[in-house]
Amino acid sequence: MELVSTWTGRTACLLQQAMRLTNEAFAERLGISERTISRWHANPGMTHRTEVQQILDIAYEEAGDTVQRRFALLLRPPAPRVEAQALRVAIAVVLRGDEVLLVCRRGDGELRWQFPAGMVKPGADPSTVAVQETHGETGVHCTIREQLGERVHPVTGVVACYFLADHLAGDAANLDPLENVDASWVPRSSLTRFIPQEQIYQPILEALEASA
């Protein structure tokens, strides 16, 4: 049996592949949300929290010899970097008056504030994903005002598609407690106290300034 000392987004997805399960079926098997599985695909380098490590340990141990042998074969080749870079993520910058919507994510032993985001599956419309993921994570309904652009994210290597959106209804609530610890409206003027300015896509800063 292959020993996994630390589960990452990549190794968790390899276990899913070895089990030959869809995102929905794998999420049900682990007792977590399908959106969480999508994030693992979008961020193969992430390290899971202790609780998730334990969930994956149990799933692996209970999978049986055939799955464990298949997992060992999948684990040995390095994950091609081009696949990670081909993944797309839709990011919503949602405005409500002088406030912008943020979520506080867990990961790599740290908490990070960022805009609501979700992985774009092949054939899906990124703007629709941005709206759906915002509602799924925070309970906030929004509508897309314009696309701000896209780039290869300097940290994760995924193609990030950014959208400026307007609040329609709903207050911020943390609806994905496994991945997030909070969801909140913060003053636009205080945004860089939550996310360092050098990490914010420049067109976002320009759009927030123009909308002030």
Side-chain angles (χ1 to χ4, degrees), residues 35-47:
R35 185 167 57 252
T36 296
I37 304 298
S38 295
R39 289 206 191 97
W40 297 352
H41 284 276
N43 191 0
M46 70 177 291
T47 300

Side-chain angles (χ1 to χ4, degrees), residues 23-132:
N23 282 10
E24 181 180 2
F26 193 45
E28 183 177 354
R29 178 74 171 266
L30 300 181
I32 61 178
S33 72
E34 184 179 353
R35 185 167 57 252
T36 296
I37 304 298
S38 295
R39 289 206 191 97
W40 297 352
H41 284 276
N43 191 0
M46 70 177 291
T47 300
H48 300 302
R49 294 179 294 112
T50 301
E51 307 95 289
V52 179
Q53 296 280 340
Q54 294 170 346
I55 291 172
L56 290 165
D57 281 342
I58 293 170
Y60 175 62
E61 291 166 4
E62 294 179 347
D65 291 343
T66 300
V67 169
Q68 290 169 0
R69 287 196 298 270
R70 192 181 297 133
F71 175 78
L73 291 173
L74 292 169
L75 187 63
R76 285 163 191 158
R81 294 183 60 85
V82 65
E83 291 185 7
Q85 293 178 352
L87 292 170
R88 301 181 74 196
V89 173
I91 299 170
V93 182
V94 185
L95 303 182
R96 183 181 71 173
D98 291 328
E99 299 175 311
V100 62
L101 181 63
L102 297 181
V103 295
C104 186
R105 296 220 192 281
R106 309 176 192 269
D108 300 331
E110 297 182 18
L111 300 178
R112 294 187 178 88
W113 287 94
Q114 61 186 65
F115 305 104
M119 189 180 76
V120 181
K121 296 179 180 178
D125 175 44
S127 64
T128 300
V129 171
V131 170
Q132 292 174 341

